Amino acid sequence: MDMAQFDTGWLSLHQPPAGAWTWEGTFADYLQKVQETPSIADLAHARIYRMIMSHGVEKPENQETPRYLFFSQELFGIDDTINEIVEYFAAAARGMDIRRRILLMMGSPGTGKSTITAILKKGMEEYSRTDAGALFAISFCPQQEEPLHLLPEAARREFMQATGVSIEGDLCPYCQWMVDHEYQGRLQEVPVKRVLISESRRIGIGTFAPSDSKVQDISELVGSMDLSTISRYGSESDPRAYRFDGAFNAANRGIMEFIEMLKAQPDFLHGLLTLAQERKIKVGRFGLFDADEAIIAHTNENEFERFVSNKAYEALHNRVLLIKVPYNLTVSQEMRTYQKMMNLTGADLGKHIAPNTLKVAAMFGVGTRLSRDAKFSVKEKLTLYDGKELPDVQQREINRVRELARKQGEGFQGISPRHILDALSYAMASDKDVCVTPTAMLRAIRESFEQHITQVKNQDLLEALKATHELYDEAAKNEIQRAFVDSFQDAAQLLYDNYLEHAEARIMHTTVKDPVTGEEVEPNEKILQDLEKALGISDAAATAFRQEMVNKSGAMARRGQSLSWDSHPKMKEAIEKKLFADVANLVKVTTSTKVLNDQQKNRVMEVKRRLIEDMGYCDHCAQELLDYVGYLLTK
């Protein structure tokens, strides 16, 4: 790129307005700010909880667990886990003892542990740039200390009564020295500034990852003595000769992330224990000094089991709040995960991805994570867990099975989303196909078995692949059959309205008008039974079901609304089956006959046009779908 021609005008457009994120004043000015807005003095856990809640909460229909919008665009299918994390911060924000716990997330690789922490860290950075999330610190403090620590003990009770703000903690050694020597106790003159949380600048966010025990030093957590300054200050006990630059120091007022915590050496974990329980940092030359930070750690299942069985860590056992992070078990949410991961790579895909390709990948990925159940097969679980219904299966039965499976560890074994994205990458790179189709994805998944290290048994992989194949076969046939039906929506609505008319006539003991002769005739029981049979409704239950549908239709009519054919999930499925059955023979003929007559050719061309224009196919994958379904129907 020719840098001489690069327009830098956009830089000024993206700069914040002068003073937007800056504020400097004295401690006296800050006290006035706190009296006006007490929340600016919130402790770390309360600040994080306030940040999460500022994005809003949804209560999805037919779901007990709320959905927190702060996480909803990045994490999919683990609402129960997110709810546990938010509940932790909610309790900690109220000052309960749970804030003295290490939030330890445990799960398999790829479940989202690191993503959860990354979202919280990024969220804190952005929140500190808002008025609601403004954070202030003593200007010269190396660990962005809360200015209220300047208030002497005698004044704190009076201040709390006036503002409702409880002050916890005292000045760090460096700030205490500055107050005593530079300001001679003139607290009101101590400078205060607004600070922006930043992981890259190590302000309000600290991160530690264990490495080789031979080269790692505790100073990475708590800072170290600056030997070059000892001659200037005359003593190793002078706080000016100490570098308060450890991860614990950086994390003050925000988040301390401990990556793979249980791989750390005991010395590091003992320091973590003091920080969690006492909310203090201990270094050799100074006494304990205060730190206000939420400790978030993550580990895998094997490391956690070793940790629990090791009596040397018993003191730490009681300081850990365990949050289990399972894999997502919902196909639709798994697809969102893949789409997000693909967008993050920024790669040039180069090929068209046919409809249902990501769904096929998601079904396999989720299928490997499902426990084997005596009542439901993997195929049935893939359907039920995604919120779809099966005949004669009640929601409370699904909930019971899910709860039992969860207790038995369902979701903690299986294929990572990264495995699936690797298989998709191979399918994208293959020269065999013009675009990536579901069948190409299935081949890539099967070939990937030998390329990835996984604890999933080969038998379970094959079972998940078989279930995926069967579900895709059904979806492919439905896709083609839907494309063959002229004005599908109109035909479905007409069938539904016809059912309601005959059901009402049967209930009210009246007649219906014959659409051909115009004569009044008895309601047609076959019309009713065809759909009810597809619904799995017995003769004994038919009258009650008809009454329910008629009542619902009447209630909506009174509100000036009409009942749509797809508003009742089971009825929607029954109507689709009915319409598809009516055209099955036509589909079979036109997709399996080698030599077509002109009428059949026109019919196939019309179907391809619908697949391309209305359903997202290209010419190549539309033809492949036609050929594949033709093969299925002649098996």
Side-chain angles (χ1 to χ4, degrees):
M1 181 173 64
D2 184 359
M3 294 304 293
Q5 298 178 359
F6 182 70
D7 182 8
T8 58
W10 65 275
L11 290 171
S12 60
L13 298 176
H14 291 269
Q15 292 297 317
W21 296 333
T22 61
W23 181 91
E24 294 184 0
T26 64
F27 180 50
D29 297 329
Y30 178 69
L31 286 177
Q32 183 62 39
K33 272 187 167 295
V34 175
Q35 292 182 70
E36 294 170 357
T37 313
S39 62
I40 65 174
D42 276 350
L43 297 177
H45 288 87
R47 188 176 296 275
I48 294 170
Y49 179 66
R50 191 152 44 86
M51 169 196 69
I52 293 170
M53 299 307 293
S54 69
H55 288 74
V57 186
E58 287 181 348
K59 188 66 191 305
E61 188 177 356
N62 299 324
Q63 181 176 314
E64 294 182 4
T65 306
R67 179 175 299 145
Y68 295 92
L69 301 184
F70 175 73
F71 297 98
S72 63
Q73 297 305 308
E74 297 289 336
L75 295 163
F76 313 110
I78 55 170
D79 288 344
D80 289 340
T81 299
I82 295 300
N83 189 54
E84 289 182 37
I85 292 171
V86 176
E87 286 179 344
Y88 159 78
F89 282 111
R94 292 173 173 82
M96 297 179 182
D97 194 59
I98 199 171
R99 66 193 173 130
R100 300 181 187 275
R101 305 290 180 269
I102 300 166
L103 182 66
L104 177 61
M105 293 182 286
M106 183 270 287
S108 301
T111 54
K113 305 183 298 297
S114 299
T115 302
I116 292 170
T117 312
I119 293 170
L120 288 169
K121 292 189 296 183
K122 184 66 174 177
M124 287 294 283
E125 289 182 334
E126 295 175 354
Y127 192 56
S128 71
R129 288 159 173 75
T130 67
D131 291 340
L135 181 70
F136 299 85
I138 298 173
S139 294
F140 49 72
C141 181
Q143 55 178 33
Q144 56 277 346
E145 186 159 8
E146 166 60 63
L148 291 181
H149 289 179
L150 289 161
L151 269 184
E153 196 67 39
R156 292 187 178 187
R157 178 173 295 180
E158 181 182 345
F159 184 77
M160 180 179 175
Q161 290 174 345
T163 64
V165 175
S166 177
I167 303 172
E168 294 185 8
D170 297 302
L171 294 172
C172 73
Y174 182 82
C175 287
Q176 189 64 63
W177 190 96
M178 290 290 290
V179 168
D180 292 344
H181 296 84
E182 293 292 326
Y183 291 90
Q184 300 291 316
R186 299 186 304 277
L187 302 178
Q188 70 276 11
E189 298 178 12
V190 173
V192 174
K193 67 179 180 180
R194 181 173 179 178
V195 296
L196 303 179
I197 290 179
S198 170
E199 182 174 17
S200 62
R201 297 182 181 183
R202 305 184 79 240
I203 300 173
I205 295 175
T207 304
F208 178 80
S211 60
D212 189 343
S213 60
K214 296 178 180 179
V215 299
Q216 200 144 38
D217 190 271
I218 193 68
S219 64
E220 293 185 40
L221 292 179
V222 299
S224 62
M225 188 64 60
D226 187 351
L227 299 178
S228 66
T229 62
I230 293 176
S231 59
R232 186 193 317 168
Y233 298 124
S235 170
E236 292 185 6
S237 298
D238 192 312
R240 293 173 298 172
Y242 193 84
R243 292 197 299 258
F244 295 84
D245 60 356
F248 288 173
N249 309 108
N252 191 36
R253 312 290 301 284
I255 293 172
M256 175 63 211
E257 179 187 17
F258 218 107
I259 300 170
E260 295 295 343
M261 182 186 87
L262 302 182
K263 292 181 179 179
Q265 297 300 308
D267 289 348
F268 290 82
L269 294 180
H270 291 154
L272 192 63
L273 177 61
T274 302
L275 178 63
Q277 179 60 28
E278 307 298 331
R279 298 173 62 79
K280 294 180 183 293
I281 299 172
K282 177 68 177 80
V283 295
R285 298 291 175 176
F286 308 105
L288 293 169
F289 56 91
D290 293 279
D292 170 33
E293 49 204 76
I295 306 172
I296 303 176
H298 34 93
T299 189
N300 60 52
E301 193 170 4
N302 292 334
E303 292 289 346
F304 181 75
E305 289 176 355
R306 282 196 288 269
F307 166 71
V308 170
S309 62
N310 192 336
K311 292 187 177 180
Y313 295 131
E314 281 186 345
L316 194 57
H317 291 171
N318 291 329
R319 303 295 180 263
V320 165
L321 179 70
L322 179 65
I323 301 288
K324 294 182 179 181
V325 186
Y327 285 118
N328 159 59
L329 299 179
T330 306
V331 171
S332 56
Q333 298 300 318
E334 185 77 359
M335 291 172 63
R336 295 183 67 188
T337 299
Y338 301 160
Q339 289 164 345
K340 186 198 79 169
M341 292 173 71
M342 290 165 62
N343 291 337
L344 287 176
T345 64
D348 180 11
L349 298 179
K351 281 186 177 181
H352 173 245
I353 298 180
N356 286 318
T357 299
L358 290 185
K359 187 172 184 179
V360 161
M363 287 190 293
F364 172 73
V366 172
T368 66
R369 305 165 192 166
L370 297 173
S371 61
R372 277 50 188 164
D373 185 85
K375 186 170 181 62
F376 297 117
S377 66
V378 170
K379 177 183 173 182
E380 289 171 326
K381 277 192 170 185
L382 284 169
T383 302
L384 294 170
Y385 281 18
D386 206 34
K388 299 178 178 62
E389 296 183 353
L390 290 177
D392 300 323
V393 179
Q394 297 181 338
Q395 186 62 47
R396 63 173 178 268
E397 177 66 11
I398 302 170
N399 294 339
R400 186 193 67 78
V401 169
R402 290 197 71 163
E403 184 61 29
L404 179 61
R406 186 180 182 186
K407 290 178 180 178
Q408 294 173 345
E410 185 174 61
F412 286 91
Q413 298 293 330
I415 293 296
S416 161
R418 300 187 190 113
H419 181 134
I420 301 298
L421 264 294
D422 287 347
L424 179 61
S425 298
Y426 280 115
M428 296 290 295
S430 173
D431 294 329
K432 295 179 181 177
D433 301 297
V434 176
C435 64
V436 184
T437 63
T439 54
M441 189 71 225
L442 287 166
R443 287 196 301 270
I445 287 172
R446 181 65 185 89
E447 292 168 1
S448 72
F449 286 5
E450 306 301 325
Q451 297 168 339
H452 286 82
I453 299 172
T454 175
Q455 295 180 338
V456 183
K457 297 177 182 177
N458 199 59
Q459 179 182 348
D460 292 339
L461 293 174
L462 291 172
E463 185 178 352
L465 187 62
K466 180 175 181 290
T468 301
H469 225 306
E470 291 175 354
L471 286 170
Y472 173 62
D473 288 353
E474 293 173 7
K477 285 186 282 188
N478 287 347
E479 200 95 319
I480 286 293
Q481 290 170 335
R482 184 185 294 273
F484 264 87
V485 176
D486 293 311
S487 303
F488 179 85
Q489 296 288 337
D490 293 342
Q493 189 64 47
L494 181 62
L495 186 59
Y496 189 38
D497 291 342
N498 202 29
Y499 174 86
L500 289 175
E501 180 184 11
H502 284 258
E504 183 176 18
R506 178 65 70 189
I507 291 168
M508 302 300 294
H509 303 291
T510 58
T511 59
V512 296
K513 183 177 289 187
D514 187 291
V516 178
T517 65
E519 297 177 356
E520 293 293 328
V521 296
E522 291 294 317
N524 191 327
E525 187 67 22
K526 186 177 185 303
I527 290 176
L528 299 172
Q529 290 180 351
D530 280 351
L531 284 178
E532 290 162 359
K533 184 177 180 181
L535 283 164
I537 295 173
S538 65
D539 293 341
T543 300
F545 178 76
R546 295 170 187 176
Q547 186 71 63
E548 175 193 345
M549 300 304 297
V550 170
N551 290 346
K552 189 173 182 180
S553 175
M556 294 191 71
R558 288 191 292 273
R559 295 196 296 267
Q561 300 172 334
S562 60
L563 197 60
S564 174
W565 71 275
D566 57 358
S567 59
H568 190 290
K570 288 187 176 180
M571 181 62 81
K572 174 178 177 290
E573 183 180 357
I575 289 174
E576 287 178 340
K577 286 181 178 178
K578 170 65 176 169
L579 288 176
F580 293 159
D582 291 344
V583 297
N585 289 332
L586 177 61
V587 174
K588 185 175 180 179
V589 169
T590 54
T591 57
S592 61
T593 303
K594 295 295 182 181
V595 180
L596 303 178
N597 59 38
D598 290 342
Q599 183 179 6
Q600 290 170 333
K601 286 179 181 178
N602 291 335
R603 190 68 168 133
V604 170
M605 292 301 296
E606 175 63 15
V607 168
K608 285 186 68 174
R609 184 193 65 78
R610 287 181 187 160
L611 289 171
I612 294 169
E613 295 181 4
D614 301 335
M615 301 169 73
Y617 288 81
C618 69
D619 185 74
H620 172 80
C621 57
Q623 185 61 54
E624 180 180 300
L625 181 66
L626 280 163
D627 294 341
Y628 184 68
V629 171
Y631 161 74
L632 291 177
L633 292 173
T634 55
K635 285 174 64 175

